[in-house]
Amino acid sequence: MDRHPDPGPTAGLLTDDLILEILSRLPARSLHRVKCVSVSWRDLIVDPANRNKLPQTLAGFLYMTVNSSGCGHHFASISGDGAAPFDPSLQPNKYMDMVQVDACNGLLLYCGCNEKLSPFNWAEDDFRFVVCNPLTGRWVELPPTLQAPENNRYSCTAGLAFDPAAHFNVLHFEQAFHKAYVTGVNIYSSWARAWTRRDSGMVEKVAPFFRGKCVFVSRIMYVMGSLMDMNNEYVLMGVDMEGKVWKTIRVPYGQRFATIGVSQGCLHYAAASVVDNDKRTVSQIALWCLKGRDSKELVLKHTANINKLMSMTGKKYMVDAVHPDCDTIFLISYGGDTLAAYDMRHQKVGCILNLEKSNTCRFLPYVPLFSKSLADADEQ
C-alpha cells in the first residue's frame, strides 16, 4: 500500500510556489502532519531551500552552566539525531562574557560585558544588550539603556519581543531600590533604534520573580511576580510594546514550582501542586491557558500525575517550559542534570535528555529562524 497517496487531480494543478504559499500559513504541527499527503509535498517541506518560507517547530533548549571560569553555553536537542542547529558557544570576541537572557521566535537576547558576568545579578554590571540570529550569525548590539530614575534600579528581568513580520523590541524592567516592585520599563525598538522609558501603569505593586521568565504573545509581554502588601499573591504582569497598557492576572499555586510559555498562539501557565515544600515533593501538574489578549482569566486544560516519570528516573522535577505547538510540558530535575518531556493531553512520558552536570540554569526554548533579516537592525 502506498503510504503517500495521490492528493487528487486538484493538487496537480498547483505550482510548487502556490503550494508553499498555502503551507506557509499552517501551524508547524499541522505542517509536520501534511508531509504524509504525498511524496512531492514531503520533498517540498524538507527541502532546505524552503525552510525560510515555512513555519518551524521547537528544536530544543539553550541553557547555561556556571563555574569559576564563567558561563558555558549549551544546547539540548529534542530531535531524533540530537544535533544542535548551531554552535551555542560561538559569540562575538568583543565581550569577555555573555549571559543568555531570552529567546523569541528564533532570535536570542544576551547581555555582554568586558568583565565576568553573573547570570544571577547581571543588571548591576556595565553591560550591553545584544540580539542575534544564531543560524545566520548576525548580531546587533543595542545602545546603552536609559539611566534609571533616582531611588530606582534596573532588575534582572528583561524580555525579547519579536514579530518575524515586523521588528523586535527589548523590555527591561525597572524596580524600586528597597521594595523591588516594578516602577517602570525601558523599551527598545529596532524600528526606531532607540530606547524609551514608561512609568508603570499599574495600581498594584508587583515584584517580578528573581530571574523571572518573560513571554511575548499577542503584542503583550508577560512576566510572573507577586503582589506587594497582598500576602504575596502570585500574578502574571503584562505590558504592551508601547508601555501604555498594563494588567495583572491572578494565578494558582506557588511561584517556585510554576512556569509560563506561549503554545498554539496562547499564553500558557504550568504549575505543580506541591505536597511538601521542604521535601519538594511534586505529584500533580496542571496546565492552564489564557484565551485572548483581553482576557484576565486562566482556563484549566489538563492535569497529570508525574509519579510514573519520577519512578522511571528516581528524580524529582519542577516545571520549566511549554512546547510551542502542543500540550507537552518540559520538566527539569532538581540538580539540573536531566530535562524530561511530558505529554499532558495523552499522559505520556516523552524524551528524557541528559544535561551538562555543572550548575545548569536559564533554559530557553528555541525555534529556528532561517530568514536572513534581523528586523532591519544594524548588523555587527
Side-chain angles (χ1 to χ4, degrees):
M1 180 179 293
D2 187 1
R3 294 180 58 191
H4 304 281
D6 182 8
T10 303
L13 301 177
L14 302 178
T15 65
D16 285 354
D17 287 342
L18 188 53
I19 293 174
L20 282 173
E21 176 65 23
I22 295 170
L23 295 177
S24 69
R25 300 174 186 272
L26 296 176
R29 190 180 185 190
S30 299
L31 185 69
H32 178 74
R33 291 173 177 172
V34 300
K35 286 195 293 186
C36 299
V37 169
S38 72
V39 173
S40 60
W41 282 32
R42 181 199 62 195
D43 292 344
L44 277 175
I45 293 171
V46 301
D47 188 343
N50 298 326
R51 291 184 299 189
N52 66 331
K53 304 175 185 178
L54 299 173
Q56 304 296 317
T57 190
L58 182 69
F61 292 87
L62 287 150
Y63 67 99
M64 294 185 299
T65 54
V66 184
N67 52 45
S68 58
S69 60
C71 299
H73 299 263
H74 312 276
F75 188 85
S77 173
I78 64 170
S79 64
D81 58 10
F86 59 90
D87 184 351
S89 65
L90 291 179
Q91 296 164 3
N93 296 326
K94 181 176 181 178
Y95 308 103
M96 176 181 176
D97 206 359
M98 298 191 75
V99 169
Q100 297 167 4
V101 179
D102 199 12
C104 184
N105 292 326
L107 296 188
L108 307 179
L109 177 64
Y110 290 84
C111 61
C113 187
N114 288 324
E115 299 178 2
K116 187 182 295 185
L117 277 171
S118 166
F120 311 110
N121 200 28
W122 51 261
E124 299 299 324
D125 296 303
D126 182 18
F127 71 94
R128 296 286 286 272
F129 282 120
V130 182
V131 176
C132 81
N133 182 343
L135 285 182
T136 63
R138 298 188 178 199
W139 297 78
V140 174
E141 182 183 76
L142 276 54
T145 55
L146 303 175
Q147 185 174 357
E150 188 178 0
N151 298 322
N152 293 339
R153 62 179 173 83
Y154 285 116
S155 70
C156 286
T157 303
L160 174 64
F162 175 50
D163 179 353
H167 57 277
F168 70 79
N169 297 95
V170 173
L171 281 72
H172 190 194
F173 291 94
E174 170 193 296
Q175 294 173 281
F177 254 119
H178 301 294
K179 296 295 185 180
Y181 61 84
V182 170
T183 56
V185 63
N186 252 8
I187 304 174
Y188 178 82
S189 165
S190 66
W191 179 78
R193 301 186 183 183
W195 290 94
T196 57
R197 182 191 174 277
R198 299 289 186 186
D199 286 328
S200 170
M202 297 180 297
V203 176
E204 305 101 323
K205 294 180 178 180
V206 178
F209 296 144
F210 182 57
R211 294 186 295 127
K213 178 184 293 185
C214 293
V215 170
F216 174 65
V217 58
S218 300
R219 300 292 300 164
I220 296 286
M221 182 71 79
Y222 292 93
V223 63
M224 296 177 62
S226 59
L227 289 177
M228 307 288 289
D229 305 322
M230 290 284 290
N231 297 320
N232 291 327
E233 184 179 357
Y234 302 125
V235 296
L236 300 180
M237 178 184 70
V239 59
D240 73 348
M241 294 302 98
E242 288 74 44
K244 297 178 180 179
V245 178
W246 296 72
K247 64 178 180 178
T248 56
I249 301 169
R250 268 65 172 178
V251 297
Y253 301 150
Q255 55 91 359
R256 64 187 279 203
F257 300 99
T259 191
I260 54 176
V262 57
S263 180
Q264 302 152 82
C266 298
L267 179 74
H268 280 62
Y269 170 80
S273 175
V274 182
V275 178
D276 188 328
N277 277 311
D278 294 330
K279 295 182 179 180
R280 296 176 175 176
T281 304
V282 176
S283 59
Q284 181 169 288
I285 291 178
L287 183 65
W288 308 69
C289 71
L290 186 69
K291 295 293 187 180
R293 172 190 168 102
D294 298 324
S295 175
K296 297 187 70 172
E297 182 180 357
L298 291 166
V299 179
L300 180 63
K301 293 182 73 174
H302 305 289
T303 59
N305 188 297
I306 61 167
N307 284 337
K308 180 180 179 181
L309 171 62
M310 292 189 292
S311 64
M312 287 173 59
T313 62
K315 299 179 182 293
K316 298 176 182 178
Y317 289 87
M318 55 185 174
V319 291
D320 191 82
V322 184
H323 197 290
D325 301 311
C326 59
D327 292 341
T328 292
I329 62 170
F330 293 87
L331 304 104
I332 183 74
S333 63
Y334 286 99
D337 57 352
T338 62
L339 184 71
Y342 191 89
D343 185 336
M344 294 287 288
R345 182 179 180 185
H346 299 100
Q347 308 282 294
K348 294 172 61 176
V349 178
C351 61
I352 300 177
L353 307 176
N354 293 320
L355 307 173
E356 298 289 332
K357 296 180 175 64
S358 179
N359 295 324
T360 55
C361 64
R362 206 64 178 182
F363 286 83
L364 301 177
Y366 175 72
V367 177
L369 174 69
F370 290 96
S371 170
K372 294 182 179 179
S373 171
L374 192 51
D376 300 321
D378 292 329
E379 297 174 23
Q380 303 296 316

